[in-house]
Amino acid sequence: MLSRVADSLYWMSRYLERAEHLARAIDVQLHLALDEAPAFASVGWICLLNGLRADLPAHLCADDRAVTDALTFDRSNPSSIVSCIAQARENARQVREQITTDVWEELNRLYLAVTARNIDSVWKSGPHEFLRSVQRGAQLLAGVADATMDHAEGWQYIRLGRFVERAMSIAWLLDAHFGLRSLEWEGEPTADDFVAWSGLLRSFSAFEPYCKSHTVELRPNRILNFLLFSAEFPHSMRFCATQIHSAVSAIGEWTGTPRGATVRRLAGKLESELAFGSLDDAHAVDLAETLRQYVRRCLDVHNAVYRRYITYTVDEALRESDLDAVNR
């Protein structure tokens, strides 16, 4: 596969995953703002912006409408929903022959639905239905790609992009959330804590799955353990790491052995740290540092994929081949 094609498919998927995550997080925060005092609502927006790595003026956090506009429709913000979907569409357009007509049509439908709206029309009718339509559109696209594309090399890049983006989003939002909250790890949560913890779970569509595993008692330790180490939940770090390892292994096989041994080793390292990790390890090191280490592991995989398959020069390819031979 051409490196240009791999790059476009990978980023198309990352932008769609980012748009879905952003739409869900904004929707949850707008719901929380109805139940929280203004001071707590402002902290919630700050937490969200930190978790999104969004560089927006702090004064916006006092105005639900203004911050929603900046995160949703501001085209000068490269991480807004409309910017993410536009960039996903542009990447898809560049590799139109590599995706199915169903994927292309659904992506265009989502793009037109988002660009036809603005903050005035959305705010007037209530933003929740619009934000949920963005989530459904992105989820539908992922499902259509899974159902209509060959599960060959191109599809593996789509899967890789989705789970790299999701894993980093989880780590960043957990880092922001646990960094801002004073924690009683096992104590009875206050009413404000309950709202905040349930909001964190809903930001990953995790409230119901968590309750099935741990009942409705919300405890920071249990929440963190679920979002980091659940092997079955699709929005846990461990699940993402397993998918990342599987995708890079499949890409390595498609490109022919022995290429990609270094990439597989880095992805396997991330997966094993989460498969055999525990909260005790995270607390012993420092939770924030542990979460940032997971992000660095994801970036290591991302950079290795680029060096090996996308932006390599002949000299780099030869060096990587030597490393692969050592790592086999």
Side-chain angles (χ1 to χ4, degrees), residues 291-308:
L291 292 169
R292 289 163 195 167
Q293 180 168 299
Y294 291 149
V295 172
R296 287 195 293 272
R297 298 281 188 237
C298 292
L299 289 173
D300 287 343
V301 174
H302 167 92
N303 291 331
V305 167
Y306 261 69
R307 283 195 306 271
R308 196 69 189 92

Side-chain angles (χ1 to χ4, degrees), residues 94-289:
Q94 293 176 11
V95 291
R96 173 64 186 87
E97 74 286 359
Q98 297 289 330
I99 58 177
T100 61
T101 299
D102 297 296
V103 172
W104 177 242
E105 288 181 352
E106 287 301 330
L107 183 49
N108 275 288
R109 190 171 292 119
L110 179 61
Y111 173 78
L112 293 173
V114 171
T115 53
R117 305 295 297 273
N118 58 42
I119 190 61
D120 293 330
S121 65
V122 166
W123 205 255
K124 185 177 181 180
S125 60
H128 302 296
E129 182 53 38
F130 170 77
L131 292 167
R132 287 172 187 167
S133 73
V134 174
Q135 296 170 55
R136 286 195 296 269
Q139 291 165 350
L140 180 61
L141 264 165
V144 170
D146 290 350
T148 64
M149 290 181 65
D150 291 336
H151 287 199
E153 191 179 0
W155 180 81
Q156 297 294 349
Y157 278 104
I158 291 175
R159 182 162 70 126
L160 177 63
R162 180 188 310 155
F163 286 102
V164 166
E165 181 70 29
R166 186 177 298 179
M168 293 173 66
S169 298
I170 294 168
W172 279 333
L173 194 53
L174 289 177
D175 184 25
H177 193 94
F178 282 83
L180 275 177
R181 309 283 179 186
S182 60
L183 299 176
E184 291 293 340
W185 288 99
E186 285 296 343
E188 190 69 26
T190 66
D192 286 333
D193 285 340
F194 186 90
V195 172
W197 294 125
S198 65
L200 176 66
L201 288 167
R202 293 182 195 284
S203 296
F204 301 115
S205 298
F207 186 76
E208 288 84 3
Y210 169 88
C211 290
K212 287 180 180 176
S213 296
H214 298 288
T215 76
V216 77
E217 290 185 359
L218 304 186
R219 298 287 187 274
N221 258 341
R222 299 176 195 174
I223 292 171
L224 190 58
N225 190 67
F226 185 74
L227 293 175
L228 285 180
F229 302 120
S230 171
E232 296 83 19
F233 181 56
H235 286 264
S236 79
M237 281 290 298
R238 181 180 174 184
F239 187 94
C240 293
T242 301
Q243 297 299 314
I244 290 169
H245 190 199
S246 173
V248 297
S249 296
I251 290 169
E253 292 176 6
W254 273 96
T255 54
T257 57
R259 295 185 69 189
T262 301
V263 183
R264 290 200 299 276
R265 180 180 62 80
L266 292 170
K269 188 174 184 180
L270 172 65
E271 183 185 18
S272 63
E273 286 182 357
L274 285 152
F276 299 103
S278 71
L279 280 187
D280 290 339
D281 299 333
H283 290 316
V285 176
D286 177 70
L287 176 58
E289 177 53 31

Side-chain angles (χ1 to χ4, degrees), residues 8-136:
S8 293
L9 293 172
Y10 175 75
W11 276 105
M12 177 193 77
S13 181
R14 285 197 64 169
Y15 282 126
L16 286 171
E17 179 67 26
R18 193 175 299 178
E20 183 199 343
H21 172 67
L22 189 52
R24 187 186 307 107
I26 297 170
D27 189 31
V28 169
Q29 182 53 36
L30 288 172
H31 273 106
L32 293 182
L34 298 175
D35 298 324
E36 293 179 318
F40 282 99
S42 182
V43 170
W45 282 118
I46 292 171
C47 183
L48 176 59
L49 293 179
N50 290 342
L52 296 171
R53 297 299 190 264
D55 186 19
L56 296 178
H59 67 81
L60 286 181
C61 297
D63 186 338
D64 293 347
R65 185 182 187 280
V67 73
T68 301
D69 186 26
L71 292 173
T72 305
F73 294 109
D74 185 357
R75 285 182 175 269
S76 67
N77 174 10
S79 296
S80 68
I81 289 174
V82 69
S83 293
C84 286
I85 293 175
Q87 291 173 91
R89 181 176 179 273
E90 177 57 23
N91 276 283
R93 188 190 63 75
Q94 293 176 11
V95 291
R96 173 64 186 87
E97 74 286 359
Q98 297 289 330
I99 58 177
T100 61
T101 299
D102 297 296
V103 172
W104 177 242
E105 288 181 352
E106 287 301 330
L107 183 49
N108 275 288
R109 190 171 292 119
L110 179 61
Y111 173 78
L112 293 173
V114 171
T115 53
R117 305 295 297 273
N118 58 42
I119 190 61
D120 293 330
S121 65
V122 166
W123 205 255
K124 185 177 181 180
S125 60
H128 302 296
E129 182 53 38
F130 170 77
L131 292 167
R132 287 172 187 167
S133 73
V134 174
Q135 296 170 55
R136 286 195 296 269

